[in-house]
């Protein structure tokens, strides 16, 4: 299982996947917004989204976990 | 004259407006979000009201909260600064209804310039040159492709309500247009609540040059020369200067006259800026009008000796302008650099706590800044945290002063674009005045491996 972290403080602008979705390495799964800029967050390896831990509009810190991928 | 003004903004521009109010003997009211409670601009204002949680839509765009603070404090006028509510016609109209003076043009004027498509049509009527393109909203990819055939590639795809480069993309072929259309339309829709798109012919190696004007409510309009703002990253300005090192005296006179013509045609009042794109042959074309004070207004102040905020306040209070075009002289050269809390290599934001902070000093150096040691730079707002302005008798002197001041700038705890700014203002192409909007791509990005 891998945890997808925010990498930067900001708010969750868009969540592009839901639990159960298959994702491929490099695929953008969440878009954060920080300082008026969109920051896409991608997964590093192929897998299945097992858990979505945030909602659109949530504020996150840089090490907060956004998703879990199996 | 007003006795009390509320500033509906934050950071350096709030502090800038407070400074002029103090000089004029006007009391000031700050409004702030929970994230800015400890900010310098809140402490410097005579009164301050918290108007909501950190995200802008809950605080700095909270119209009801701002109006309530104005009523409670008894402020007679609101200065909107730049960004946030400054070009929101609905807010300006609301102020009017509430009997509060909005320091800016009339709501109808703001609205008419807020749509780029409408502004293009209006400027064409005014006899101001516009870039060849489409003056209607393109609904879908097919319509866009059809229109593109008539004008010819390369083209700029743009959002009518756009700003800051959002919803804008260069397209060189039908295929690129096809790939770009839906995404940019969606972006424009989600950022500006308006997905109207249009196309303009692409101008290669363009200069972004804008004319500052001041207008009162009696039809007097004075142009305050131009600013060259061609150094940009992510389609946002990074270095601005006045005068432009590129245009001839003849082009300057033509541009100033076109700006006055534009302002007269729409019945503009207060401070405003007409942005133009200028091609290699010094042909200039209307780009957009900013119906507010601009971030880079200090370079105009430095070469003219005027205080633009003071002029704005006087005009809003119903006073006629006391200067004419013939009274305004320019002296020397001024350069402004924007200091962003961002990685100088990737341009990605870098929020965090400022641990050590010391501003540079020196002849001709001006700092506009609302941060200090201990300030938490939050991810909620624009990454611009300060501006540094250098004036000199010549461009060469201004260049060397801005470079020396950047080297003296002490800011620890977060990453900033200062290394990028130093590379830019000391680059031989910049020193030679050979700048256009491709500068960062062409001359800065190739230096990255050596940084």
């Amino acid at each position: 299982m891998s945890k997808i972290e925010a990498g930067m403080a900001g708010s969750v602008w868009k969540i592009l996947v839901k639990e159960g979705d298959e994702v491929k390495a490099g695929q953008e799964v969440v878009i954060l917004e920080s300082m008026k800029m969109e920051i896409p967050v991608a997964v590093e390896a192929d897998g299945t989204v097992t858990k979505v831990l945030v909602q659109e509009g949530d504020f996150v810190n840089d090490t907060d976990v956004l998703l879990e991928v199996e | 004259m007003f006795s009390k003004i509320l500033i509906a903004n934050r950071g350096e521009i709030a502090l800038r407006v407070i400074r002029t109010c103090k000089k004029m003997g006007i009391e000031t009211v700050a409004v702030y979000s929970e994230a800015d409670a400890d900010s310098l601009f809140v402490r410097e204002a005579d009164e301050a009201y918290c108007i909501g949680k950190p995200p802008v839509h809950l605080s700095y765009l909270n119209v009801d909260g701002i109006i309530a603070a104005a009523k409670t404090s008894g402020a007679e006028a609101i200065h909107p600064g730049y960004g946030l509510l400054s070009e929101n016609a609905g807010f300006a109209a609301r102020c009017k209804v509430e009997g509060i003076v909005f320091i800016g043009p009339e709501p109808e004027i703001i609205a008419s310039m807020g749509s780029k498509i409408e502004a293009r049509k209006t400027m064409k009527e005014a006899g101001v040159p516009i870039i060849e393109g489409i003056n209607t909203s393109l609904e879908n990819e097919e319509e866009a492709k059809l229109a593109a055939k008539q004008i010819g590639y390369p083209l700029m795809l743009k959002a009518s309500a756009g700003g800051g480069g959002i919803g804008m993309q260069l397209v060189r072929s039908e295929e690129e247009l096809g790939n770009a259309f839906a995404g940019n339309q969606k972006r424009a829709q989600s950022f500006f609540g308006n997905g109207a798109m249009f196309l303009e012919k692409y101008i290669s190696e363009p200069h972004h040059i804008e004319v500052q004007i001041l207008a009162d409510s009696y039809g007097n309009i004075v142009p305050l020369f131009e600013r060259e703002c061609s150094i940009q990253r992510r389609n946002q300005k990074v270095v601005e200067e006045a005068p432009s090192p590129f245009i001839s005296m003849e082009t300057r006179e033509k541009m100033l006259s076109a700006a006055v013509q534009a302002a007269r045609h729409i019945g503009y009042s207060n401070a405003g800026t007409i942005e133009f794109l200028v091609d290699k042959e010094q042909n200039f074309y209307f780009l957009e009008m900013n119906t507010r004070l601009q971030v880079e207004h200090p370079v105009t102040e430095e070469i003219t000796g005027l205080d633009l905020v003071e002029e704005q306040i006087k005009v809003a209070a119903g006073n006629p302008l006391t200067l004419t075009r013939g009274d305004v002289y320019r002296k020397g050269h001024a350069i402004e650099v924007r200091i962003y809390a961002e990685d100088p290599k990737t341009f990605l934001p870098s929020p965090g706590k400022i641990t050590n902070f010391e501003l540079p000093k020196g002849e001709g150096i001006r700092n506009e800044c609302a941060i200090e040691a201990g300030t938490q730079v939050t991810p909620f707002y624009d990454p611009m945290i300060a501006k540094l302005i250098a004036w000199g008798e010549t461009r060469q002197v201004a260049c060397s002063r801005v470079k020396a001041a950047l080297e003296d700038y002490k800011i620890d705890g977060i990453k900033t674009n200062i290394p990028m700014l130093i590379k830019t203002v000391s680059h031989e192409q910049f020193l030679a005045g050979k700048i256009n909007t491709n500068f960062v791509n062409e001359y800065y990005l190739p230096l990255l491996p050596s940084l």
Side-chain angles (χ1 to χ4, degrees):
Chain A
M1 201 247 318
S2 65
K3 293 181 175 182
I4 311 301
E5 293 183 359
M8 180 175 299
S11 64
V12 178
W13 192 49
K14 290 227 161 98
I15 299 172
L16 306 169
V17 291
K18 55 185 188 309
E19 283 170 16
D21 281 4
E22 307 240 336
V23 289
K24 290 211 162 1
Q27 184 179 335
E28 291 176 7
V29 287
V30 172
I31 301 176
L32 300 177
E33 200 241 295
S34 183
M35 293 183 151
K36 288 165 69 182
M37 189 177 175
E38 292 169 44
I39 319 279
V41 180
V43 290
E44 280 167 12
D46 295 0
T48 306
V49 177
T50 50
K51 220 174 223 173
V52 177
L53 297 149
V54 291
Q55 291 185 329
E56 289 182 1
D58 281 1
F59 181 81
V60 291
N61 277 308
D62 59 354
T63 53
D64 287 359
V65 178
L66 307 172
L67 307 175
E68 289 178 4
V69 176
E70 198 76 62
Chain B
M1 186 45 63
F2 309 116
S3 57
K4 198 184 264 190
I5 289 176
L6 179 145
I7 299 111
N9 214 300
R10 61 181 298 281
E12 69 88 17
I13 194 61
L15 211 47
R16 163 76 191 83
V17 175
I18 290 171
R19 196 168 69 225
T20 289
C21 287
K22 284 190 171 166
K23 184 179 81 179
M24 296 174 77
I26 298 169
E27 282 188 80
T28 53
V29 181
V31 289
Y32 63 96
S33 79
E34 287 171 8
D36 285 337
D38 298 326
S39 294
L40 211 47
F41 76 91
V42 175
R43 296 204 302 269
E44 283 294 311
D46 295 305
E47 286 170 62
Y49 296 84
C50 181
I51 48 166
K53 298 210 170 289
V56 283
H57 67 279
L58 299 175
S59 51
Y60 297 104
L61 300 180
N62 168 9
V63 170
D64 289 334
I66 293 167
I67 296 289
K71 296 262 171 180
T72 308
S73 63
E76 303 141 277
I78 295 182
H79 195 299
Y82 51 69
L84 299 172
L85 291 168
S86 64
E87 290 179 295
N88 185 316
F91 178 65
R94 175 74 186 276
C95 289
K96 209 169 193 176
V97 170
E98 301 284 351
I100 302 163
V101 176
F102 174 83
I103 301 175
E106 292 296 316
E108 303 75 39
I109 307 280
I110 299 175
S112 75
M113 292 295 111
S115 152
K116 289 197 164 95
I117 294 174
E118 286 306 310
R120 277 172 60 82
K121 286 191 227 169
T122 307
M123 289 304 150
K124 201 178 172 190
E125 280 166 27
V128 176
I130 59 169
I131 302 170
E132 188 190 344
I134 299 300
N135 293 340
T136 50
S137 167
L138 301 164
E139 296 304 321
N140 52 49
E141 204 180 306
E142 286 64 43
E143 266 185 49
K145 283 180 177 170
L146 211 63
K149 267 197 190 123
Q150 295 166 14
I151 322 167
Y153 294 91
L155 289 163
M156 287 303 281
L157 174 65
K158 290 186 174 180
S160 183
I166 294 163
M168 183 170 102
Q169 195 173 333
L170 165 64
V171 289
R172 296 176 189 278
S173 64
E174 187 162 286
E175 194 192 346
E176 283 187 18
L177 176 59
N179 292 337
F181 193 86
N184 282 288
Q185 189 178 41
K186 208 172 142 194
R187 239 188 198 83
Q189 183 64 46
S190 77
F191 268 87
F192 312 112
N194 179 337
M197 304 298 291
F198 68 106
L199 287 163
E200 276 178 359
K201 184 122 189 111
Y202 174 68
I203 291 174
S204 69
E205 297 173 38
H207 289 251
H208 178 121
I209 301 173
E210 58 191 30
V211 176
Q212 174 73 54
I213 58 127
L214 271 179
D216 63 19
S217 312
Y218 310 96
N220 301 306
I221 305 166
V222 179
L224 302 178
F225 305 104
E226 79 284 1
R227 295 184 286 260
E228 166 116 27
C229 313
S230 296
I231 310 267
Q232 308 185 351
R233 63 102 184 81
R234 296 204 268 115
N235 293 310
Q236 288 171 343
K237 298 163 187 168
V238 185
V239 182
E240 302 103 343
E241 60 184 300
S244 161
F246 173 67
I247 57 172
S248 66
M249 274 306 286
E250 195 191 344
T251 305
R252 173 172 300 118
E253 281 307 309
K254 281 189 199 160
M255 289 180 73
L256 299 191
S257 294
V260 170
Q261 204 175 320
R264 178 151 293 134
H265 183 79
I266 60 173
Y268 196 84
S269 66
N270 217 290
T273 295
I274 294 97
E275 297 192 340
F276 295 100
L277 268 193
V278 185
D279 70 14
K280 281 178 276 193
E281 284 80 41
Q282 305 215 355
N283 297 303
F284 60 88
Y285 306 93
F286 172 81
L287 198 58
E288 63 180 69
M289 179 162 191
N290 294 309
T291 55
R292 54 170 166 85
L293 188 68
Q294 284 196 269
V295 175
E296 59 272 25
H297 75 275
V299 292
T300 299
E301 295 183 323
E302 290 303 310
I303 64 159
T304 60
L306 293 166
D307 178 335
L308 292 189
V309 175
E310 182 178 346
E311 297 297 330
Q312 283 193 296
I313 293 171
K314 285 187 191 163
V315 165
N319 296 340
L321 288 174
T322 51
L323 59 153
T324 64
R325 188 166 175 178
D327 298 332
V328 187
Y329 292 94
R330 59 187 169 90
K331 189 179 164 218
H333 201 98
I335 300 174
E336 174 184 275
V337 290
R338 298 189 187 189
I339 296 171
Y340 288 107
E342 69 183 17
D343 185 303
K345 293 184 177 180
T346 60
F347 307 140
L348 285 175
S350 175
K353 189 177 180 166
I354 296 172
T355 51
N356 186 25
F357 187 69
E358 204 181 315
L359 287 171
K361 294 188 189 81
E363 202 181 345
I365 294 300
R366 166 174 169 185
N367 287 289
E368 292 292 346
C369 144
I371 50 168
E372 55 197 334
T375 298
Q376 187 76 36
V377 180
T378 67
F380 301 107
Y381 313 112
D382 192 275
M384 196 189 78
I385 49 172
K387 305 184 304 204
L388 167 69
I389 303 103
W391 179 89
E393 296 77 7
T394 62
R395 186 172 188 271
Q396 203 183 353
V397 173
C399 284
S400 67
R401 283 180 179 167
V402 78
K403 179 174 183 254
L406 280 167
E407 284 167 344
D408 283 348
Y409 218 102
K410 284 188 187 58
I411 178 161
D412 297 329
I414 56 166
K415 288 183 196 169
T416 73
N417 65 334
I418 289 174
M420 181 241 186
L421 294 170
I422 293 173
K423 286 279 181 201
T424 300
V425 300
S426 54
H427 196 283
E428 55 179 21
Q429 292 289 322
F430 183 85
L431 294 172
K434 290 181 180 164
I435 47 176
N436 63 55
T437 57
N438 299 332
F439 185 93
V440 171
N441 285 337
E442 212 167 313
Y443 301 112
Y444 174 67
L445 295 182
L447 300 175
L448 285 187
S450 69
L451 272 183

